[in-house]
Amino acid sequence: MSEAFTRWSVAEHLRTREDARHYLDDCAEEDPGDGSPIHAAFHDIARAGS
């Protein structure tokens, strides 16, 4: 039996500005010091239009 996978995008789940703020806050907490999660979060928030 084969498994079917679908693409998941966080941008589809950022429906409000508050969602985006919480997501950005969480990414900032997980930042290892190079800013990569924050950069990715801004990209996702921009795609979501939040």
Side-chain angles (χ1 to χ4, degrees), residues 3 5-6 13 20-21 23-24 31-34 38 43 46-47:
E3 295 182 40
F5 294 95
T6 58
H13 301 277
R21 183 179 58 81
Y23 177 58
L24 184 58
D31 186 7
D34 64 358
I38 297 169
H43 177 76
R47 282 190 8 239

Side-chain angles (χ1 to χ4, degrees), residues 2-46:
S2 65
E3 295 182 40
F5 294 95
T6 58
R7 268 206 189 273
W8 187 86
S9 173
V10 70
E12 295 172 8
H13 301 277
L14 298 174
R15 294 184 178 98
T16 66
R17 287 186 178 195
E18 186 176 1
D19 291 342
R21 183 179 58 81
H22 286 297
Y23 177 58
L24 184 58
D25 287 344
D26 290 342
C27 288
E29 286 180 16
E30 298 296 321
D31 186 7
D34 64 358
S36 60
I38 297 169
H39 181 268
F42 279 128
H43 177 76
D44 293 334
I45 291 167

